[in-house]
Amino acid sequence: MAETIFAKIIRREIPAQIEHEDEMCLAFHDVAPQAPTHILVIPKKPIPRLTEVTDADTPLLGHLMRVATEIAMKLNLANGFRLVVNCGTDGGQTVDHLHIHLLGGRSLRWPPG
Ligand code: AMP
């Protein structure tokens, strides 16, 4: 797998505003926020996209969702928030390192574009 900018953020070679870190994941603020709160939760394991997740990664996926929800609560998004995973070209994925977008702080429209 080709190196991504997120691998460099994990290794602290590129700065990011980090919100959470544990042994399995890192969460940091998106550099181009689409909502007042826009955080990316990424596994430290360099999985390119959802279609390359294996059965062994199932607990990791659950962990990412739990961490995203805990961050949402910590950042006072109790009124609501959205988790998004873009997958592949049509899904709008631009960085080939699996990530969950946590969006909140405003009323979000549906359906997304
Ligand atoms: P996606 O389009 O779903 O692959 O999302 C990639 C996200 O990464 C976009 O929302 C970008 O704004 C964000 N992004 C790209 N580079 C950086 C960076 N250096 N620090 C934080 N977020 C980034």
Side-chain angles (χ1 to χ4, degrees):
M1 171 189 161
E3 175 89 344
T4 70
I5 198 162
F6 290 176
K8 291 186 170 70
I9 289 174
I10 291 169
R11 294 200 303 268
R12 305 297 203 275
E13 291 171 10
I14 289 178
Q17 189 185 342
I18 293 170
E19 195 62 44
H20 171 91
E21 180 170 24
D22 61 41
E23 67 282 358
M24 284 193 273
C25 73
L26 188 70
F28 51 93
H29 290 258
D30 197 292
V31 76
Q34 301 301 310
T37 297
H38 187 173
I39 287 172
L40 302 172
V41 184
I42 71 171
K44 289 186 172 175
K45 180 179 177 182
I47 302 167
R49 60 188 61 80
L50 272 180
T51 48
E52 296 186 42
V53 164
T54 68
D55 284 347
D57 298 318
T58 301
L60 173 60
L61 290 189
H63 181 70
L64 298 178
M65 296 207 43
R66 292 279 299 124
V67 166
T69 303
E70 283 167 10
I71 294 170
M73 293 301 96
K74 185 174 83 174
L75 298 182
N76 302 313
L77 300 180
N79 203 41
F81 58 90
R82 185 174 293 168
L83 303 184
V84 174
V85 180
N86 295 328
C87 183
T89 305
D90 279 1
Q93 185 175 5
T94 59
V95 178
D96 287 336
H97 184 125
L98 182 67
H99 49 283
I100 297 178
H101 295 259
L102 164 60
L103 296 151
R106 66 172 171 85
S107 181
L108 297 164
R109 290 179 298 278
W110 188 263

